[in-house]
Amino acid sequence: MINYNELTVPEATRIQREMQNEIQIVPHTDPVNYIAGADISFNKFSTTVYAGIVLLQFPSLLPVGYSLVKKEVLFPYVPGFLAFREVPALLDAWEQLPIKPDILVVDGHGIAHPRRLGIATHFGVLTNQPTIGSAKKKLFGNYEEPAPERGSYTPLTDKQGQVLGSVLRSKNNVKPIFVSPGHLTDVPGSLHIIQQCLKGYRLPEPTRLAHNAVNQFRLGEIPVGWSEL
């Protein structure tokens, strides 16, 4: 098990290189009865991380409950290595879930990352769970702007032209989101799942609800632990 609080950035880079060999970008063919969204909130200058996972039925997207965790972390805020701050709390939130989802959508990147190890991939490899990254901003890659209509998308590619994910217009005339497979999913499948999770907002429903829950938790409006809805 990785001791995240004692890692240096060079050691984290080595771990990412090692984890690259375990990434499986393959079609997800099993039935999806439950999906979950994960989000993390923290101040880059603080050691406190708030993590939340919201469990939903699929394809109805009816919320089942949420798991919330507050954790102290010591790994520094370094772009490209945010998973090393976020994953420990996310693992704790995952352990609290009474039902594990068939797919976890993480607010962040999957393989659309300089070393293919965004938080969705990092978490997916660690837990051997199917994951998808759905991010609000580009971290890595090249793309052409999709058409302004909801549902339009373009490929996100690296310098060699390998497709890493999709740039999806999730709502008319708003900034697109960046969808990439994390682990045990592929580019078309990840896009298809996220398209089914759009309910009129920019963010897909799993991560939108997780974002709301984490912010309420951070403000002290809802309690730590697992709560059914």
PDB file of all heavy atoms in Angstrom, residues 103-140:
ATOM      1  N   ILE A 103     -19.785   1.519 -12.137  1.00  0.00           N
ATOM      2  CA  ILE A 103     -18.849   2.494 -12.716  1.00  0.00           C
ATOM      3  C   ILE A 103     -18.789   3.705 -11.792  1.00  0.00           C
ATOM      4  O   ILE A 103     -19.824   4.166 -11.294  1.00  0.00           O
ATOM      5  CB  ILE A 103     -19.277   2.935 -14.132  1.00  0.00           C
ATOM      6  CG1 ILE A 103     -19.163   1.781 -15.125  1.00  0.00           C
ATOM      7  CG2 ILE A 103     -18.425   4.111 -14.615  1.00  0.00           C
ATOM      8  CD1 ILE A 103     -19.543   2.139 -16.548  1.00  0.00           C
ATOM      9  N   LEU A 104     -17.585   4.217 -11.573  1.00  0.00           N
ATOM     10  CA  LEU A 104     -17.392   5.437 -10.795  1.00  0.00           C
ATOM     11  C   LEU A 104     -16.945   6.556 -11.735  1.00  0.00           C
ATOM     12  O   LEU A 104     -15.958   6.405 -12.460  1.00  0.00           O
ATOM     13  CB  LEU A 104     -16.329   5.221  -9.719  1.00  0.00           C
ATOM     14  CG  LEU A 104     -15.988   6.446  -8.872  1.00  0.00           C
ATOM     15  CD1 LEU A 104     -17.173   6.842  -7.984  1.00  0.00           C
ATOM     16  CD2 LEU A 104     -14.742   6.196  -8.016  1.00  0.00           C
ATOM     17  N   VAL A 105     -17.666   7.674 -11.715  1.00  0.00           N
ATOM     18  CA  VAL A 105     -17.296   8.862 -12.487  1.00  0.00           C
ATOM     19  C   VAL A 105     -16.625   9.841 -11.534  1.00  0.00           C
ATOM     20  O   VAL A 105     -17.221  10.245 -10.531  1.00  0.00           O
ATOM     21  CB  VAL A 105     -18.525   9.521 -13.139  1.00  0.00           C
ATOM     22  CG1 VAL A 105     -18.092  10.716 -13.991  1.00  0.00           C
ATOM     23  CG2 VAL A 105     -19.296   8.519 -13.983  1.00  0.00           C
ATOM     24  N   VAL A 106     -15.404  10.205 -11.828  1.00  0.00           N
ATOM     25  CA  VAL A 106     -14.627  11.085 -10.946  1.00  0.00           C
ATOM     26  C   VAL A 106     -14.522  12.469 -11.562  1.00  0.00           C
ATOM     27  O   VAL A 106     -14.288  12.607 -12.769  1.00  0.00           O
ATOM     28  CB  VAL A 106     -13.213  10.514 -10.707  1.00  0.00           C
ATOM     29  CG1 VAL A 106     -12.459  11.380  -9.709  1.00  0.00           C
ATOM     30  CG2 VAL A 106     -13.283   9.080 -10.214  1.00  0.00           C
ATOM     31  N   ASP A 107     -14.700  13.498 -10.745  1.00  0.00           N
ATOM     32  CA  ASP A 107     -14.503  14.867 -11.210  1.00  0.00           C
ATOM     33  C   ASP A 107     -12.993  15.085 -11.358  1.00  0.00           C
ATOM     34  O   ASP A 107     -12.304  15.429 -10.393  1.00  0.00           O
ATOM     35  CB  ASP A 107     -15.101  15.860 -10.214  1.00  0.00           C
ATOM     36  CG  ASP A 107     -15.029  17.287 -10.736  1.00  0.00           C
ATOM     37  OD1 ASP A 107     -13.991  17.955 -10.514  1.00  0.00           O
ATOM     38  OD2 ASP A 107     -15.987  17.727 -11.380  1.00  0.00           O
ATOM     39  N   GLY A 108     -12.501  14.855 -12.535  1.00  0.00           N
ATOM     40  CA  GLY A 108     -11.071  14.917 -12.822  1.00  0.00           C
ATOM     41  C   GLY A 108     -10.794  14.121 -14.080  1.00  0.00           C
ATOM     42  O   GLY A 108     -11.725  13.732 -14.792  1.00  0.00           O
ATOM     43  N   HIS A 109      -9.537  13.873 -14.342  1.00  0.00           N
ATOM     44  CA  HIS A 109      -9.157  13.220 -15.601  1.00  0.00           C
ATOM     45  C   HIS A 109      -8.869  11.735 -15.416  1.00  0.00           C
ATOM     46  O   HIS A 109      -8.527  11.281 -14.323  1.00  0.00           O
ATOM     47  CB  HIS A 109      -7.929  13.909 -16.186  1.00  0.00           C
ATOM     48  CG  HIS A 109      -8.194  15.319 -16.617  1.00  0.00           C
ATOM     49  ND1 HIS A 109      -8.789  15.619 -17.820  1.00  0.00           N
ATOM     50  CD2 HIS A 109      -7.977  16.505 -15.987  1.00  0.00           C
ATOM     51  CE1 HIS A 109      -8.913  16.938 -17.936  1.00  0.00           C
ATOM     52  NE2 HIS A 109      -8.426  17.499 -16.828  1.00  0.00           N
ATOM     53  N   GLY A 110      -9.007  11.018 -16.515  1.00  0.00           N
ATOM     54  CA  GLY A 110      -8.578   9.631 -16.588  1.00  0.00           C
ATOM     55  C   GLY A 110      -7.213   9.588 -17.261  1.00  0.00           C
ATOM     56  O   GLY A 110      -6.226  10.076 -16.714  1.00  0.00           O
ATOM     57  N   ILE A 111      -7.163   9.033 -18.472  1.00  0.00           N
ATOM     58  CA  ILE A 111      -5.879   8.948 -19.180  1.00  0.00           C
ATOM     59  C   ILE A 111      -5.521  10.246 -19.902  1.00  0.00           C
ATOM     60  O   ILE A 111      -4.448  10.335 -20.513  1.00  0.00           O
ATOM     61  CB  ILE A 111      -5.844   7.768 -20.166  1.00  0.00           C
ATOM     62  CG1 ILE A 111      -6.927   7.922 -21.252  1.00  0.00           C
ATOM     63  CG2 ILE A 111      -5.978   6.437 -19.423  1.00  0.00           C
ATOM     64  CD1 ILE A 111      -6.782   6.943 -22.406  1.00  0.00           C
ATOM     65  N   ALA A 112      -6.384  11.272 -19.854  1.00  0.00           N
ATOM     66  CA  ALA A 112      -6.071  12.567 -20.466  1.00  0.00           C
ATOM     67  C   ALA A 112      -5.152  13.349 -19.527  1.00  0.00           C
ATOM     68  O   ALA A 112      -5.523  14.380 -18.948  1.00  0.00           O
ATOM     69  CB  ALA A 112      -7.355  13.337 -20.749  1.00  0.00           C
ATOM     70  N   HIS A 113      -3.950  12.826 -19.384  1.00  0.00           N
ATOM     71  CA  HIS A 113      -2.981  13.278 -18.385  1.00  0.00           C
ATOM     72  C   HIS A 113      -1.594  13.050 -18.980  1.00  0.00           C
ATOM     73  O   HIS A 113      -1.402  12.102 -19.750  1.00  0.00           O
ATOM     74  CB  HIS A 113      -3.186  12.444 -17.111  1.00  0.00           C
ATOM     75  CG  HIS A 113      -2.251  12.734 -15.984  1.00  0.00           C
ATOM     76  ND1 HIS A 113      -0.974  12.203 -15.925  1.00  0.00           N
ATOM     77  CD2 HIS A 113      -2.414  13.467 -14.850  1.00  0.00           C
ATOM     78  CE1 HIS A 113      -0.390  12.609 -14.815  1.00  0.00           C
ATOM     79  NE2 HIS A 113      -1.234  13.378 -14.140  1.00  0.00           N
ATOM     80  N   PRO A 114      -0.607  13.885 -18.671  1.00  0.00           N
ATOM     81  CA  PRO A 114       0.720  13.720 -19.289  1.00  0.00           C
ATOM     82  C   PRO A 114       1.323  12.324 -19.134  1.00  0.00           C
ATOM     83  O   PRO A 114       2.049  11.859 -20.006  1.00  0.00           O
ATOM     84  CB  PRO A 114       1.574  14.768 -18.564  1.00  0.00           C
ATOM     85  CG  PRO A 114       0.604  15.803 -18.111  1.00  0.00           C
ATOM     86  CD  PRO A 114      -0.664  15.073 -17.792  1.00  0.00           C
ATOM     87  N   ARG A 115       1.024  11.661 -18.026  1.00  0.00           N
ATOM     88  CA  ARG A 115       1.532  10.297 -17.823  1.00  0.00           C
ATOM     89  C   ARG A 115       0.401   9.270 -17.774  1.00  0.00           C
ATOM     90  O   ARG A 115       0.581   8.156 -17.290  1.00  0.00           O
ATOM     91  CB  ARG A 115       2.369  10.248 -16.520  1.00  0.00           C
ATOM     92  CG  ARG A 115       3.692  11.001 -16.659  1.00  0.00           C
ATOM     93  CD  ARG A 115       4.386  11.214 -15.327  1.00  0.00           C
ATOM     94  NE  ARG A 115       3.611  12.034 -14.402  1.00  0.00           N
ATOM     95  CZ  ARG A 115       3.536  13.363 -14.478  1.00  0.00           C
ATOM     96  NH1 ARG A 115       4.172  14.026 -15.432  1.00  0.00           N
ATOM     97  NH2 ARG A 115       2.820  14.029 -13.589  1.00  0.00           N
ATOM     98  N   ARG A 116      -0.762   9.672 -18.276  1.00  0.00           N
ATOM     99  CA  ARG A 116      -1.961   8.801 -18.372  1.00  0.00           C
ATOM    100  C   ARG A 116      -2.513   8.440 -16.998  1.00  0.00           C
ATOM    101  O   ARG A 116      -3.265   7.499 -16.876  1.00  0.00           O
ATOM    102  CB  ARG A 116      -1.659   7.511 -19.165  1.00  0.00           C
ATOM    103  CG  ARG A 116      -1.083   7.717 -20.558  1.00  0.00           C
ATOM    104  CD  ARG A 116      -2.063   8.460 -21.455  1.00  0.00           C
ATOM    105  NE  ARG A 116      -1.608   8.470 -22.848  1.00  0.00           N
ATOM    106  CZ  ARG A 116      -0.912   9.467 -23.393  1.00  0.00           C
ATOM    107  NH1 ARG A 116      -0.573  10.509 -22.648  1.00  0.00           N
ATOM    108  NH2 ARG A 116      -0.561   9.413 -24.657  1.00  0.00           N
ATOM    109  N   LEU A 117      -2.151   9.191 -15.950  1.00  0.00           N
ATOM    110  CA  LEU A 117      -2.537   8.822 -14.591  1.00  0.00           C
ATOM    111  C   LEU A 117      -3.284   9.951 -13.890  1.00  0.00           C
ATOM    112  O   LEU A 117      -2.869  10.414 -12.816  1.00  0.00           O
ATOM    113  CB  LEU A 117      -1.309   8.418 -13.771  1.00  0.00           C
ATOM    114  CG  LEU A 117      -1.097   6.938 -13.467  1.00  0.00           C
ATOM    115  CD1 LEU A 117      -2.256   6.300 -12.734  1.00  0.00           C
ATOM    116  CD2 LEU A 117      -0.773   6.161 -14.724  1.00  0.00           C
ATOM    117  N   GLY A 118      -4.396  10.397 -14.480  1.00  0.00           N
ATOM    118  CA  GLY A 118      -5.269  11.297 -13.747  1.00  0.00           C
ATOM    119  C   GLY A 118      -5.919  10.554 -12.586  1.00  0.00           C
ATOM    120  O   GLY A 118      -5.771   9.338 -12.434  1.00  0.00           O
ATOM    121  N   ILE A 119      -6.671  11.278 -11.768  1.00  0.00           N
ATOM    122  CA  ILE A 119      -7.225  10.673 -10.560  1.00  0.00           C
ATOM    123  C   ILE A 119      -8.152   9.507 -10.865  1.00  0.00           C
ATOM    124  O   ILE A 119      -8.166   8.501 -10.141  1.00  0.00           O
ATOM    125  CB  ILE A 119      -7.936  11.725  -9.678  1.00  0.00           C
ATOM    126  CG1 ILE A 119      -8.430  11.057  -8.389  1.00  0.00           C
ATOM    127  CG2 ILE A 119      -9.046  12.424 -10.433  1.00  0.00           C
ATOM    128  CD1 ILE A 119      -8.956  12.021  -7.348  1.00  0.00           C
ATOM    129  N   ALA A 120      -8.927   9.587 -11.948  1.00  0.00           N
ATOM    130  CA  ALA A 120      -9.839   8.480 -12.268  1.00  0.00           C
ATOM    131  C   ALA A 120      -9.057   7.215 -12.601  1.00  0.00           C
ATOM    132  O   ALA A 120      -9.453   6.106 -12.217  1.00  0.00           O
ATOM    133  CB  ALA A 120     -10.754   8.863 -13.425  1.00  0.00           C
ATOM    134  N   THR A 121      -7.947   7.360 -13.307  1.00  0.00           N
ATOM    135  CA  THR A 121      -7.122   6.198 -13.631  1.00  0.00           C
ATOM    136  C   THR A 121      -6.394   5.687 -12.396  1.00  0.00           C
ATOM    137  O   THR A 121      -6.361   4.480 -12.134  1.00  0.00           O
ATOM    138  CB  THR A 121      -6.112   6.557 -14.733  1.00  0.00           C
ATOM    139  OG1 THR A 121      -6.821   7.058 -15.863  1.00  0.00           O
ATOM    140  CG2 THR A 121      -5.316   5.339 -15.147  1.00  0.00           C
ATOM    141  N   HIS A 122      -5.820   6.591 -11.648  1.00  0.00           N
ATOM    142  CA  HIS A 122      -5.097   6.225 -10.416  1.00  0.00           C
ATOM    143  C   HIS A 122      -6.019   5.427  -9.488  1.00  0.00           C
ATOM    144  O   HIS A 122      -5.657   4.327  -9.032  1.00  0.00           O
ATOM    145  CB  HIS A 122      -4.623   7.511  -9.736  1.00  0.00           C
ATOM    146  CG  HIS A 122      -3.680   7.311  -8.590  1.00  0.00           C
ATOM    147  ND1 HIS A 122      -2.434   7.879  -8.545  1.00  0.00           N
ATOM    148  CD2 HIS A 122      -3.805   6.611  -7.442  1.00  0.00           C
ATOM    149  CE1 HIS A 122      -1.832   7.539  -7.406  1.00  0.00           C
ATOM    150  NE2 HIS A 122      -2.661   6.773  -6.720  1.00  0.00           N
ATOM    151  N   PHE A 123      -7.212   5.963  -9.245  1.00  0.00           N
ATOM    152  CA  PHE A 123      -8.145   5.283  -8.348  1.00  0.00           C
ATOM    153  C   PHE A 123      -8.607   3.949  -8.946  1.00  0.00           C
ATOM    154  O   PHE A 123      -8.711   2.943  -8.236  1.00  0.00           O
ATOM    155  CB  PHE A 123      -9.362   6.175  -8.081  1.00  0.00           C
ATOM    156  CG  PHE A 123     -10.318   5.598  -7.075  1.00  0.00           C
ATOM    157  CD1 PHE A 123     -10.132   5.814  -5.722  1.00  0.00           C
ATOM    158  CD2 PHE A 123     -11.396   4.831  -7.478  1.00  0.00           C
ATOM    159  CE1 PHE A 123     -10.999   5.272  -4.783  1.00  0.00           C
ATOM    160  CE2 PHE A 123     -12.271   4.290  -6.549  1.00  0.00           C
ATOM    161  CZ  PHE A 123     -12.079   4.509  -5.201  1.00  0.00           C
ATOM    162  N   GLY A 124      -8.874   3.936 -10.241  1.00  0.00           N
ATOM    163  CA  GLY A 124      -9.333   2.707 -10.880  1.00  0.00           C
ATOM    164  C   GLY A 124      -8.307   1.593 -10.825  1.00  0.00           C
ATOM    165  O   GLY A 124      -8.641   0.438 -10.551  1.00  0.00           O
ATOM    166  N   VAL A 125      -7.035   1.922 -11.062  1.00  0.00           N
ATOM    167  CA  VAL A 125      -5.980   0.916 -11.009  1.00  0.00           C
ATOM    168  C   VAL A 125      -5.810   0.395  -9.583  1.00  0.00           C
ATOM    169  O   VAL A 125      -5.664  -0.813  -9.356  1.00  0.00           O
ATOM    170  CB  VAL A 125      -4.656   1.498 -11.550  1.00  0.00           C
ATOM    171  CG1 VAL A 125      -3.490   0.560 -11.260  1.00  0.00           C
ATOM    172  CG2 VAL A 125      -4.765   1.745 -13.065  1.00  0.00           C
ATOM    173  N   LEU A 126      -5.836   1.301  -8.610  1.00  0.00           N
ATOM    174  CA  LEU A 126      -5.668   0.887  -7.212  1.00  0.00           C
ATOM    175  C   LEU A 126      -6.759  -0.077  -6.758  1.00  0.00           C
ATOM    176  O   LEU A 126      -6.498  -1.041  -6.048  1.00  0.00           O
ATOM    177  CB  LEU A 126      -5.682   2.107  -6.296  1.00  0.00           C
ATOM    178  CG  LEU A 126      -4.389   2.863  -6.055  1.00  0.00           C
ATOM    179  CD1 LEU A 126      -4.634   3.968  -5.034  1.00  0.00           C
ATOM    180  CD2 LEU A 126      -3.271   1.950  -5.571  1.00  0.00           C
ATOM    181  N   THR A 127      -8.002   0.210  -7.159  1.00  0.00           N
ATOM    182  CA  THR A 127      -9.151  -0.564  -6.681  1.00  0.00           C
ATOM    183  C   THR A 127      -9.597  -1.628  -7.671  1.00  0.00           C
ATOM    184  O   THR A 127     -10.465  -2.438  -7.349  1.00  0.00           O
ATOM    185  CB  THR A 127     -10.334   0.370  -6.400  1.00  0.00           C
ATOM    186  OG1 THR A 127     -10.675   1.077  -7.606  1.00  0.00           O
ATOM    187  CG2 THR A 127      -9.992   1.367  -5.299  1.00  0.00           C
ATOM    188  N   ASN A 128      -9.023  -1.606  -8.881  1.00  0.00           N
ATOM    189  CA  ASN A 128      -9.436  -2.497  -9.971  1.00  0.00           C
ATOM    190  C   ASN A 128     -10.921  -2.335 -10.282  1.00  0.00           C
ATOM    191  O   ASN A 128     -11.644  -3.309 -10.502  1.00  0.00           O
ATOM    192  CB  ASN A 128      -9.112  -3.960  -9.662  1.00  0.00           C
ATOM    193  CG  ASN A 128      -9.081  -4.814 -10.926  1.00  0.00           C
ATOM    194  OD1 ASN A 128      -8.665  -4.352 -11.988  1.00  0.00           O
ATOM    195  ND2 ASN A 128      -9.532  -6.048 -10.837  1.00  0.00           N
ATOM    196  N   GLN A 129     -11.358  -1.075 -10.317  1.00  0.00           N
ATOM    197  CA  GLN A 129     -12.755  -0.750 -10.591  1.00  0.00           C
ATOM    198  C   GLN A 129     -12.867   0.055 -11.881  1.00  0.00           C
ATOM    199  O   GLN A 129     -11.988   0.858 -12.196  1.00  0.00           O
ATOM    200  CB  GLN A 129     -13.332   0.089  -9.438  1.00  0.00           C
ATOM    201  CG  GLN A 129     -13.397  -0.634  -8.114  1.00  0.00           C
ATOM    202  CD  GLN A 129     -14.434  -1.744  -8.121  1.00  0.00           C
ATOM    203  OE1 GLN A 129     -15.475  -1.634  -8.759  1.00  0.00           O
ATOM    204  NE2 GLN A 129     -14.153  -2.818  -7.408  1.00  0.00           N
ATOM    205  N   PRO A 130     -13.965  -0.118 -12.636  1.00  0.00           N
ATOM    206  CA  PRO A 130     -14.187   0.708 -13.818  1.00  0.00           C
ATOM    207  C   PRO A 130     -14.408   2.168 -13.426  1.00  0.00           C
ATOM    208  O   PRO A 130     -15.251   2.462 -12.569  1.00  0.00           O
ATOM    209  CB  PRO A 130     -15.451   0.110 -14.445  1.00  0.00           C
ATOM    210  CG  PRO A 130     -15.540  -1.283 -13.901  1.00  0.00           C
ATOM    211  CD  PRO A 130     -14.985  -1.182 -12.514  1.00  0.00           C
ATOM    212  N   THR A 131     -13.651   3.054 -14.022  1.00  0.00           N
ATOM    213  CA  THR A 131     -13.751   4.476 -13.710  1.00  0.00           C
ATOM    214  C   THR A 131     -13.719   5.312 -14.984  1.00  0.00           C
ATOM    215  O   THR A 131     -13.169   4.910 -16.012  1.00  0.00           O
ATOM    216  CB  THR A 131     -12.599   4.937 -12.797  1.00  0.00           C
ATOM    217  OG1 THR A 131     -11.347   4.624 -13.425  1.00  0.00           O
ATOM    218  CG2 THR A 131     -12.659   4.273 -11.427  1.00  0.00           C
ATOM    219  N   ILE A 132     -14.319   6.500 -14.873  1.00  0.00           N
ATOM    220  CA  ILE A 132     -14.340   7.482 -15.955  1.00  0.00           C
ATOM    221  C   ILE A 132     -13.947   8.829 -15.363  1.00  0.00           C
ATOM    222  O   ILE A 132     -14.391   9.184 -14.267  1.00  0.00           O
ATOM    223  CB  ILE A 132     -15.740   7.587 -16.587  1.00  0.00           C
ATOM    224  CG1 ILE A 132     -16.155   6.263 -17.236  1.00  0.00           C
ATOM    225  CG2 ILE A 132     -15.795   8.708 -17.624  1.00  0.00           C
ATOM    226  CD1 ILE A 132     -17.615   6.223 -17.680  1.00  0.00           C
ATOM    227  N   GLY A 133     -13.139   9.573 -16.087  1.00  0.00           N
ATOM    228  CA  GLY A 133     -12.821  10.934 -15.688  1.00  0.00           C
ATOM    229  C   GLY A 133     -13.704  11.916 -16.430  1.00  0.00           C
ATOM    230  O   GLY A 133     -13.864  11.818 -17.644  1.00  0.00           O
ATOM    231  N   SER A 134     -14.286  12.855 -15.701  1.00  0.00           N
ATOM    232  CA  SER A 134     -15.094  13.920 -16.309  1.00  0.00           C
ATOM    233  C   SER A 134     -14.639  15.228 -15.693  1.00  0.00           C
ATOM    234  O   SER A 134     -14.958  15.523 -14.531  1.00  0.00           O
ATOM    235  CB  SER A 134     -16.587  13.679 -16.042  1.00  0.00           C
ATOM    236  OG  SER A 134     -17.364  14.738 -16.581  1.00  0.00           O
ATOM    237  N   ALA A 135     -13.885  16.001 -16.449  1.00  0.00           N
ATOM    238  CA  ALA A 135     -13.229  17.198 -15.911  1.00  0.00           C
ATOM    239  C   ALA A 135     -13.799  18.469 -16.526  1.00  0.00           C
ATOM    240  O   ALA A 135     -14.282  18.470 -17.664  1.00  0.00           O
ATOM    241  CB  ALA A 135     -11.726  17.129 -16.166  1.00  0.00           C
ATOM    242  N   LYS A 136     -13.697  19.550 -15.758  1.00  0.00           N
ATOM    243  CA  LYS A 136     -14.223  20.833 -16.223  1.00  0.00           C
ATOM    244  C   LYS A 136     -13.206  21.598 -17.074  1.00  0.00           C
ATOM    245  O   LYS A 136     -13.571  22.490 -17.828  1.00  0.00           O
ATOM    246  CB  LYS A 136     -14.634  21.689 -15.019  1.00  0.00           C
ATOM    247  CG  LYS A 136     -15.785  21.074 -14.217  1.00  0.00           C
ATOM    248  CD  LYS A 136     -16.205  21.951 -13.053  1.00  0.00           C
ATOM    249  CE  LYS A 136     -15.274  21.874 -11.866  1.00  0.00           C
ATOM    250  NZ  LYS A 136     -15.341  20.550 -11.164  1.00  0.00           N
ATOM    251  N   LYS A 137     -11.926  21.251 -16.932  1.00  0.00           N
ATOM    252  CA  LYS A 137     -10.880  21.941 -17.687  1.00  0.00           C
ATOM    253  C   LYS A 137      -9.923  20.927 -18.300  1.00  0.00           C
ATOM    254  O   LYS A 137      -9.744  19.832 -17.776  1.00  0.00           O
ATOM    255  CB  LYS A 137     -10.085  22.879 -16.765  1.00  0.00           C
ATOM    256  CG  LYS A 137     -10.883  24.018 -16.185  1.00  0.00           C
ATOM    257  CD  LYS A 137     -10.000  24.893 -15.294  1.00  0.00           C
ATOM    258  CE  LYS A 137     -10.777  26.047 -14.684  1.00  0.00           C
ATOM    259  NZ  LYS A 137      -9.911  26.880 -13.802  1.00  0.00           N
ATOM    260  N   LYS A 138      -9.290  21.328 -19.389  1.00  0.00           N
ATOM    261  CA  LYS A 138      -8.279  20.476 -20.016  1.00  0.00           C
ATOM    262  C   LYS A 138      -6.995  20.512 -19.199  1.00  0.00           C
ATOM    263  O   LYS A 138      -6.559  21.570 -18.755  1.00  0.00           O
ATOM    264  CB  LYS A 138      -7.991  20.961 -21.441  1.00  0.00           C
ATOM    265  CG  LYS A 138      -7.056  20.051 -22.223  1.00  0.00           C
ATOM    266  CD  LYS A 138      -6.510  20.722 -23.460  1.00  0.00           C
ATOM    267  CE  LYS A 138      -5.295  21.561 -23.131  1.00  0.00           C
ATOM    268  NZ  LYS A 138      -4.537  21.994 -24.325  1.00  0.00           N
ATOM    269  N   LEU A 139      -6.411  19.340 -18.997  1.00  0.00           N
ATOM    270  CA  LEU A 139      -5.081  19.252 -18.401  1.00  0.00           C
ATOM    271  C   LEU A 139      -4.036  18.979 -19.462  1.00  0.00           C
ATOM    272  O   LEU A 139      -2.936  19.527 -19.429  1.00  0.00           O
ATOM    273  CB  LEU A 139      -5.051  18.139 -17.348  1.00  0.00           C
ATOM    274  CG  LEU A 139      -3.692  17.824 -16.729  1.00  0.00           C
ATOM    275  CD1 LEU A 139      -3.192  19.008 -15.897  1.00  0.00           C
ATOM    276  CD2 LEU A 139      -3.756  16.567 -15.877  1.00  0.00           C
ATOM    277  N   PHE A 140      -4.399  18.154 -20.448  1.00  0.00           N
ATOM    278  CA  PHE A 140      -3.413  17.654 -21.405  1.00  0.00           C
ATOM    279  C   PHE A 140      -4.139  17.273 -22.691  1.00  0.00           C
ATOM    280  O   PHE A 140      -5.251  16.754 -22.658  1.00  0.00           O
ATOM    281  CB  PHE A 140      -2.720  16.417 -20.819  1.00  0.00           C
ATOM    282  CG  PHE A 140      -1.704  15.771 -21.714  1.00  0.00           C
ATOM    283  CD1 PHE A 140      -0.457  16.335 -21.887  1.00  0.00           C
ATOM    284  CD2 PHE A 140      -1.997  14.604 -22.391  1.00  0.00           C
ATOM    285  CE1 PHE A 140       0.490  15.739 -22.715  1.00  0.00           C
ATOM    286  CE2 PHE A 140      -1.076  13.994 -23.216  1.00  0.00           C
ATOM    287  CZ  PHE A 140       0.182  14.572 -23.378  1.00  0.00           C
TER     288      PHE A 140
END
